[in-house]
Amino acid sequence: MSLTIALSKGRLLTGAEALFSKGGLPFPPLDTRQLIVEVGGLRFLFVKDMDVPVYVEHGVADLGVCGSDVFQETGSDVLVPLDLGYGRCRMVLAAPTSSGFAESWPTTLRVATKYANVARVYFEARGLAAEIVKLQGSVEIAPGLGLADCIVDMVETGRTLRENGLEVVDEITTTSARLVVNRASDHIKRAEVAALLFKLRHGKDGASS
Ligand code: PRP
C-alpha cells in the first residue's frame, strides 16, 4: 500500500517541500506541470487549494497539506492531526482606509470574499445582515470598484491590503498549514500514515520537536 498526498501549488508548497525534505521524504519537483507525480513510493496530486480537503475527504488522497482557512471554508470531514507550523496568516475583515467602517459598521453590508462560509458565520454571529459576493481571488479590488463595502480575506504581510487602499477592521481567525488525513486511511493504512506523520513531526532522525 502506498500513500497519495494532495498538495496545492500556492503559498504553502515550498514550506511543504522543506518539511518533507527534513523528514527524508520524497517530494515532487516544484517546476513540474504534471498534476499526478509518483516519486519514491509516494503519489502526489496537485490540485487547487480549496480542493485539497475535498480529495482527502473522498479518499482519493490519503493525506493533504492545506491552510486551516481552507477546511474551515469547505467544512470537509477530515482528520487534522498536525499543525505543520508554517504558513501563518490572519483571516480578516478589511475595508477601505478612512471609510469610517471601523468606527461605525453599516447595518447591512456587501462583502466580497473567497471564504463565503467563514464570512457568513462571522456576520451571523454578530447579528449583521451581510450579502456575500463570492469571488475566486483578487478580492481587494472589489470595494474600490463598488462591488462590495468590505472584504473577508487572508493577510500575510499586509502588503496587498495596503497597496489597494484597505485596512484591517477585525481579525476573524489565525490560520496555518495543516496536514489533513482521510478517516478511513487513518485506519486502513495506519502504519504508513503514522510513519509519515512521525517524520514530518520529528524529522528523519527523530531529532526535532
Ligand atoms: C492571498 C490573499 C491576499 C494576499 C495577502 O492571496 O488572498 O490577496 O495573499 O498576502 P499579503 O498580506 O502578504 O499581501 P493569494 O496570493 O494566496 O491568492 P488568491 O488571490 O488566489 O487568494
Side-chain angles (χ1 to χ4, degrees):
M1 265 188 297
S2 71
L3 296 174
T4 298
I5 302 166
L7 302 170
S8 87
K9 281 200 167 180
R11 64 176 65 231
L12 299 182
L13 190 62
T14 53
E17 185 196 30
L19 270 180
F20 273 69
S21 149
K22 205 169 139 200
L25 293 161
F27 202 80
L30 296 186
D31 58 357
T32 184
R33 292 288 178 100
Q34 260 184 279
L35 299 176
I36 302 177
V37 182
E38 297 206 18
V39 49
L42 294 178
R43 187 163 72 131
F44 292 87
L45 314 179
F46 286 110
V47 299
K48 296 293 281 183
D49 60 351
M50 286 286 180
D51 294 338
V52 167
V54 179
Y55 277 87
V56 173
E57 177 178 10
H58 290 276
V60 174
D62 301 298
L63 307 102
V65 173
C66 65
S68 47
D69 52 300
V70 165
F71 60 77
Q72 275 170 28
E73 176 61 22
T74 62
S76 303
D77 182 19
V78 291
L79 301 172
V80 188
L82 191 56
D83 184 337
L84 296 172
Y86 73 95
R88 298 205 187 284
C89 288
R90 298 184 295 152
M91 172 94 69
V92 304
L93 172 66
T97 309
S98 313
S99 62
F101 194 108
E103 293 74 42
S104 162
W105 291 25
T107 47
T108 60
L109 38 90
R110 200 138 34 117
V111 189
T113 188
K114 199 174 144 179
Y115 300 92
N117 294 325
V118 171
R120 195 168 296 115
V121 168
Y122 173 80
F123 286 106
E124 276 175 10
R126 278 152 191 79
L128 290 169
E131 181 192 340
I132 312 285
V133 180
K134 170 110 176 163
L135 296 174
Q136 300 303 322
S138 301
V139 299
E140 291 85 353
I141 63 172
L145 297 173
L147 184 60
D149 303 302
C150 56
I151 65 169
V152 165
D153 200 18
M154 301 295 293
V155 173
E156 187 174 12
T157 63
R159 188 170 166 198
T160 312
L161 286 187
R162 273 196 308 280
E163 294 193 4
N164 290 282
L166 302 173
E167 63 183 4
V168 173
V169 173
D170 194 16
E171 182 174 301
I172 297 173
T173 185
T174 54
T175 68
S176 61
R178 306 292 171 96
L179 190 77
V180 294
V181 179
N182 173 267
R183 288 186 181 278
S185 302
D186 192 52
H187 283 286
I188 298 162
K189 302 183 180 179
R190 180 173 293 273
E192 286 161 289
V193 170
L196 188 128
L197 248 78
F198 184 87
K199 287 176 184 165
L200 290 177
R201 213 179 243 136
H202 302 292
K204 65 177 168 220
D205 305 320
S208 48
S209 59

